[in-house]
Amino acid sequence: MLDTMVWGGDRLTILDQTKLPAVTEYIDCFDHLRVKEAIARLEVRGAPAIGAAAAFAMVLGAKHIEHEPFLSQLEEIAADLESARPTAVNLAWGCRTVYELAAKLYGEGLRGTPLVKKLEAKALSIYEEDIAANKKMGDLGAALLPNDATVLTHCNAGALATCGWGTAMGVVRSAFYRGKIKMVYSDETRPLLQGARLTAYELAEEGIPVTCITDGMAAWTMKQKKVDCVIVGADRIAANGDTANKIGTFNLALAAKALHIPFYVAAPASTFDLHLADGSTIPIEERSPLEVKTFAGSVVAPEKAAVFNPAFDVTPADLITAIITEIGVITPPYEKNIARLLRNEV
Ligand code: MRU
């Protein structure tokens, strides 16, 4: 599988996911501004990958601060990076994790290269821990699937959306290597086709059976192809389990409920936002109308028509069968069980 990003000490080299699957190209980012641009353009995308890229961007930012006040400049860099995309909480989490370490070390008197080296080690550990978390999620999630499973997914919550292995597709990957996967149906995921361009690509490259469908085919496919479960990733999960993910996820949850098919969300602990009681206040990114009015460079809608282009939706917790994390599988009642697992509350 292709690396989503590679840390080079003086640069973060990012796989340009806007060009896949036709072209494999990497972009060298020498400063945090280029990483921010890559996040906004979806050259790097997927909540955990954005979080890790942001952590590395903070290191690049810290490296280039030459004068005091160090911490307030680093804080500005974090705020700037966080503004690149609003929905995935992992972005803010990646920035804050590095910032908080910087503030602590600065408070202890550390300055310059020794301080930056510690931040670099932190960003690298975020990267490594993401892969380890995905593998744990994969083990826990694979156990939930029946043998010969037919799974449906949306967008790309695979290796490409993370530092490696994937969340929802990490579960599929782990199940595949246990001989449990018969077929994965991958929604195309309009407008930007992450399901067709990225999920189908990464699964097919690895020999995992995958069938592409357009988004409108999902409910019928679930019924006709006897889909055993739907598995998706997440960009932000509120304290009550309401889950923001790629636009179209809510439709799948409704269809799964109507067809009595389990609907699973797979996400690391860093995707939970326990400051939000429920999903009503999750910020939903709206993107350019051009993403809807054009397709592969061709105009497909009249110029005078208005466009609504939310990049994410929120699936209410009561439509979710279970949330698979690296520290355990959470089932309803979510408010109590999320708090118990993430806050160690009994
Ligand atoms: O707009 P994107 O491509 O960043 O959206 C990605 C998703 O919605 C994923 O499902 C989510 O980030 C989980 S990735 C493991």
Side-chain angles (χ1 to χ4, degrees), residues 42 45-48 85 155-157 161-162 167 194 233-235 245-246 312:
L42 273 59
R45 34 69 49 203
R85 294 192 79 189
C155 194
N156 174 261
T162 63
T167 57
Q194 289 93 328
D235 284 81
N245 191 49
K246 179 54 58 191
F312 300 94

Side-chain angles (χ1 to χ4, degrees), residues 1-2 4 15-23 42-46 153-161 169 173 186-189 192-206 210 212 246:
M1 192 21 66
L2 297 168
T4 47
L15 173 64
D16 184 353
Q17 299 195 29
T18 63
K19 298 202 169 125
L20 288 174
V23 175
L42 273 59
E43 288 162 343
V44 59
R45 34 69 49 203
T153 193
H154 191 65
C155 194
N156 174 261
L160 291 167
M169 287 309 95
R173 215 167 234 118
S186 175
D187 275 2
E188 171 185 53
T189 319
L192 296 179
L193 309 181
Q194 289 93 328
R197 294 189 303 103
L198 307 175
T199 298
Y201 171 68
E202 72 167 75
L203 297 185
E205 283 295 298
E206 209 163 314
V210 61
C212 295
K246 179 54 58 191

Side-chain angles (χ1 to χ4, degrees), residues 95-153:
C95 293
R96 294 290 139 196
T97 302
V98 174
Y99 178 79
E100 275 158 27
L101 177 65
K104 178 178 168 285
L105 296 171
Y106 191 89
E108 290 166 5
L110 213 61
R111 301 285 186 275
T113 306
L115 171 54
V116 172
K117 285 273 165 220
K118 297 261 186 205
L119 303 185
E120 185 175 9
K122 184 72 190 173
L124 284 165
S125 79
I126 287 174
Y127 179 92
E128 295 299 338
E129 282 165 19
D130 182 59
I131 301 172
N134 291 339
K135 291 194 170 164
K136 281 190 200 146
M137 231 178 280
D139 288 342
L140 293 170
L144 299 175
L145 301 194
N147 286 329
D148 247 4
T150 298
V151 174
L152 189 139
T153 193

